[in-house]
Amino acid sequence: MTDPIGLPAGTGPLAGVKVLDLSWIVAGPTVGRALADYGATVIRVESPTRVDTARVVGPFHGDEPGVENSGLYGNVNAGKWGLTLDLRVPEAREVFRQLVHWSDIVCESFTAGILGRWELDYEHLRRDKPDLIMLSSTLLGQTGPYNTVSGFGSQGAGMAGVQFLVGWPDYPPAGPFGPYTDYPAPRFALAGILAALDHRRRTGEGVFIDQAQAEGTLQLLAPALIDYKNGGPALERRGNDDPQMSPHGVYPCQPPDDRAESWIAIAVASDDQWTRLAPIIRADASLTLSDRRERKDAIDEQLTAWTKQRSAAEVQSTLQTLGISAHVLSNTEEAANDPQLSHRDHFRRLPHALHGETVVEGPRYILSDTPVDIVRPAPQYGEHNEQILRDVLGLNEAEVQALAVSGALS
Amino acid sequence: MLSPYRVIDLTDERGVLAGQMLADLGADVIQVEPPGGSTGRGVAPFFAERPDESIFWSAYTRGKRGITCNLEDERGRNLLLRLLETADFLIESSDVGRMAELGLDYGTLQELFPRLIYTSISAFGQTGPKAHYVGSDLAIWAAGTPLLMTGDDDRPPVRVSQPQSWGHASGDAAGGALLALHARHKSGLGQRVDVSAQVSAAQATLAQILAYSVGSPDPERYGGGLKLRGVGSRGTADVSDGHIVMTLAPGPAIGHFANHAVKWLVDIGAVDESVGDEDFVTYADRAAVGQADPELFPRVQQIMREQVASRTKQEMLDISIEYDLLLVPVLDIVDLGQSRQLDSREFWREIGHGDGRVVTYPGPPLKVYLDGQAMDGRMSPPPGLGQDNEAVYGELGLSVTELASLESAGVI
């Protein structure tokens, strides 16, 4: 690298890649987290005067709400450097411009049009830095009549059809857990950014990515959308019903003493699997899929009578031994103790200045030869302000002081 | 962007989106199926006029080329090995252990093709105590913890009616494979990328999977919202033709949206102008010490629900845009199909199938501009079974006669 990073470089495949992360909450920061995991130097920029919602959403350390206590914020920002900037202040915008010059990649998720007002959108930034890679990620994208709609992923779930598709036909939509568009969106954005980095490496060209988080989420509904757009029925929410599996659902089990309920997920995917399940619930093993679908209620009753007498763990083990898909509906304690997740080292413990120790999730893919080293927990507000302003931008103490006085750093 | 790279895509219904993501970013993706067709071709729904043609399979093979190859036959395996000489990526989603039975496991292929990036998608991962568990969308959603948090409190937990687990895992596979590509730029070597759908599903919990680990209580399922410490808060509200998602709360993060909502209520005369003077950004702190009326916000919430109930989804969306509210309609599949936003962004693409039909598909997930020029995803129709055998095997030097004899022998 000809351009010094100014901060201690990471190790891994992306070591030397510099990222300016102005995104917030989950969809954007998750991308920066993945880049940091693999060695990129990621500066997370935020403003305490406009609190990142992730900081005020739990789970909280010790169940104590607080902007430095959020496990969610910690999870999506681990490994990053923290800088506070209030872009409404002109001096802050100048710092931002200099940091853009330093960076390879800028990620942002402001409402469409906001950065343009400050002449900090891609069209302006590329004039000085034509090889910039920039991700602008919003619910509905940079263009279109509703491009400025505000919202979290919860609104995204509504706009992406997922809210409607979770629940029971005779109930209002239950919706998925939380802001659903925040879950698929970062996968598409990460792949796009990594491809852009590869493209720039070969061609020197910059890349702009306009991500509508809803459009990413719609990829996961593609079969239902294509069906409807081409004259088929519009998919409705259908509980846990599956047209090609039966029995298929969530069944009650005997809960442990300290819990009110306990559930098992069971999916019988073939007639062959059914012939193995039928004898233990005293059902007719010769029933085909359509027979079983027709007698769904009766079979569910038989199956429930059997699961209710047993712990979910026992049902899981019995059915998996028979080659039938079944798993306990894990709560977060069970997940923390899940031997499979432990085997993958999923819960990573990191030393933390305020909490002694914090826990973040490991990466969702294991690369055999380049394991992830999460070098630091998510930054506290402004934790690295001085270091970044001094070592990356070369400001002296008086200049840093002047910035603070201008309000740029709040 | 990825046009220099070739992907050999051995996935079935469990991983088929991963290759498409790479195709939409420019890679040459060759879907390899057994001569009888992938099991993915049997996944519902099916085209009304073609009940044997899977919409699911079409959705996620759009943009790929397609060949057949019988990996259970040694001649088929040899063809695959010749093909892998031209490839950068292999992606597979077979039962754990199956690739080893075929002699196509990572260890074997790594020796032959040290630069190959070998990505595996499975329910629980390639190793570990549950590696051989039978996976399914529902069981994965259960094991990753989002299932227990989802649904109405008086019904069993419930999944998304269009299965999601494998899609999340496929998304992670694409990201992991590209991270391995950047690693290869440094080391010159490929590696193994091991994706666990269980772990991918955990992403759908908003980090609540960490609740126990950091000492916080688990959220409980609650229709249209969530429940914490036994207190439910509903995020949906009824409107005249369906539902909306509405976030209305005081506080430093989103209190200004509540101010906007109150401005709307003042403008339509639903609350007194004096309510408009309240600042809901700082309200909660002041209410806690008796400097603001604690009854005020609940009253605003109630009036808001009453006001939206007599309006339509579209009316409320327009009001939301005008006043900048955290409020959107709960769109159903019909609404999405007619969305002005999606139309305006040319999201829907009409793609001619070989048989003369024109089928409407969702466009690519990202709008990408290279040096200011728009780059599109790969909008070629889903390949018919073995459609590109001649072209792809032809590149390897196989003649039409050789291909015909391989076909009659059931190898391709």
Side-chain angles (χ1 to χ4, degrees), chain B residues 164-345:
Chain B
Q164 299 286 297
S165 300
W166 296 111
H168 289 277
S170 297
D172 286 333
L178 291 176
L179 285 163
L181 176 66
H182 285 281
R184 190 176 83 172
H185 290 326
K186 293 213 156 139
S187 67
L189 296 172
Q191 57 180 313
R192 172 64 167 278
V193 179
D194 172 8
V195 175
S196 150
Q198 176 190 23
V199 170
S200 297
Q203 164 81 7
T205 70
L206 197 65
Q208 291 294 335
I209 190 172
L210 298 173
Y212 173 80
S213 302
V214 300
S216 222
D218 279 25
E220 298 166 66
R221 68 187 183 281
Y222 193 70
L226 61 86
K227 197 196 251 180
L228 206 52
R229 294 177 205 87
V231 181
S233 67
R234 196 170 296 282
T236 52
D238 298 336
V239 292
S240 64
D241 60 347
H243 302 88
I244 56 171
V245 181
M246 177 167 80
T247 306
L248 195 62
I254 57 173
H256 58 286
F257 290 107
N259 290 343
H260 301 170
V262 169
K263 176 160 190 342
W264 175 59
L265 294 174
V266 170
D267 285 355
I268 62 170
V271 297
D272 291 342
E273 274 184 33
S274 65
V275 181
D277 298 335
E278 181 56 78
D279 178 8
F280 289 99
V281 174
T282 55
Y283 166 86
D285 288 342
R286 285 181 290 111
V289 294
Q291 292 171 6
D293 175 8
E295 298 300 317
L296 181 63
F297 186 72
R299 205 162 72 237
V300 166
Q301 273 182 311
Q302 182 55 35
I303 294 169
M304 191 74 187
R305 282 184 178 274
E306 287 163 14
Q307 287 300 327
V308 302
S310 60
R311 290 171 167 83
T312 64
K313 289 185 274 190
Q314 182 63 48
E315 283 174 301
M316 285 318 304
L317 177 58
D318 291 333
I319 290 165
S320 175
I321 297 283
E322 187 186 342
Y323 284 86
D324 193 16
L325 310 181
L326 280 178
L327 184 160
V328 298
V330 175
L331 299 183
D332 59 24
I333 297 292
V334 176
D335 296 326
L336 287 166
Q338 301 168 351
S339 156
R340 281 169 55 204
Q341 178 67 14
L342 293 175
D343 284 349
S344 155
R345 286 173 60 81

Side-chain angles (χ1 to χ4, degrees), chain A residues 88-372:
Chain A
R88 293 173 301 186
V89 178
E91 288 85 347
R93 299 204 286 274
E94 188 47 40
V95 170
F96 173 71
R97 275 193 201 91
Q98 291 178 33
L99 283 172
V100 170
H101 190 71
W102 165 87
S103 68
D104 300 293
I105 299 168
V106 172
C107 300
E108 65 93 9
S109 53
F110 285 93
T111 301
I114 297 277
L115 283 183
R117 224 181 278 166
W118 294 324
E119 303 191 339
L120 296 174
D121 58 344
Y122 175 71
E123 283 311 317
H124 285 92
L125 296 179
R126 70 184 285 234
R127 289 178 198 164
D128 291 334
K129 192 177 171 67
D131 65 346
L132 178 67
I133 294 169
M134 184 156 171
L135 168 73
S136 287
S137 180
T138 60
L139 269 187
L140 300 183
Q142 296 296 305
T143 60
Y146 297 110
N147 65 333
T148 60
V149 76
S150 291
F152 304 121
S154 315
Q155 274 70 31
M159 295 297 276
V162 182
Q163 187 77 22
F164 180 80
L165 286 176
V166 179
W168 305 89
D170 58 333
Y171 267 37
F177 181 79
Y180 199 81
T181 44
D182 285 344
Y183 313 148
R187 273 77 178 238
F188 293 103
L190 176 64
I193 283 178
L194 292 170
L197 207 49
D198 189 80
H199 176 81
R200 191 179 83 159
R201 190 174 179 272
R202 277 180 290 103
T203 64
E205 284 183 349
V207 179
F208 177 62
I209 300 174
D210 164 11
Q211 173 172 53
Q213 294 158 14
E215 289 170 16
T217 305
L218 290 180
Q219 307 295 323
L220 271 60
L221 300 181
L225 295 170
I226 297 170
D227 199 3
Y228 171 70
K229 284 296 265 187
N230 296 283
L235 182 64
E236 302 273 340
R237 58 186 166 274
R238 53 186 175 191
N240 286 319
D241 193 40
D242 189 293
Q244 295 183 300
M245 291 189 250
S246 182
H248 185 275
V250 170
Y251 300 88
C253 299
Q254 197 170 65
D257 291 340
D258 58 342
R259 283 173 62 186
E261 52 173 41
S262 169
W263 305 92
I264 183 90
I266 299 174
V268 174
S270 67
D271 290 348
D272 188 44
Q273 290 178 6
W274 170 249
T275 60
R276 282 172 265 148
L277 175 64
I280 63 172
I281 63 167
R282 299 195 184 125
D284 178 355
S286 71
L287 299 178
T288 62
L289 173 67
S290 60
D291 297 335
R292 301 197 299 276
R293 300 259 306 149
E294 252 167 53
R295 296 174 211 187
K296 180 178 183 307
D297 291 347
I299 290 173
D300 278 348
E301 217 169 284
Q302 279 171 297
L303 185 50
T304 301
W306 180 73
T307 58
K308 265 181 115 161
Q309 304 299 315
R310 290 161 177 80
S311 73
E314 182 191 341
V315 175
Q316 171 181 301
S317 145
T318 304
L319 295 185
Q320 284 288 353
T321 306
L322 293 172
I324 295 167
S325 183
H327 201 283
V328 172
L329 272 67
S330 300
N331 65 15
T332 75
E333 179 177 0
E334 286 163 325
N337 295 318
D338 182 337
Q340 184 65 23
L341 292 174
S342 302
H343 175 79
R344 290 179 74 88
D345 194 15
H346 187 62
F347 296 94
R348 303 286 179 99
R349 294 179 184 282
L350 304 173
H352 192 282
L354 296 179
H355 306 298
E357 182 180 82
T358 190
V359 183
V360 301
E361 288 183 272
R364 293 181 301 275
Y365 20 71
I366 292 178
L367 273 58
S368 56
D369 297 351
T370 47
V372 161

Side-chain angles (χ1 to χ4, degrees), chain B residues 40-55:
Chain B
R41 290 185 184 270
V43 175
F46 298 91
F47 286 101
E49 72 281 12
R50 297 228 162 193
D52 58 339
E53 194 177 318
S54 163
I55 292 176

Side-chain angles (χ1 to χ4, degrees), chain A residues 372-389:
Chain A
V372 161
D373 182 20
I374 305 166
V375 289
R376 70 181 68 78
Q380 298 169 49
Y381 271 135
E383 184 175 340
H384 305 106
N385 280 5
E386 274 194 45
Q387 202 174 348
I388 291 166
L389 296 170

Side-chain angles (χ1 to χ4, degrees), chain A residues 33-51:
Chain A
R33 159 77 202 274
L35 298 172
D37 276 353
Y38 289 90
T41 300
V42 182
I43 297 180
R44 172 63 205 272
V45 179
E46 60 184 325
S47 167
T49 56
R50 182 73 183 271
V51 176

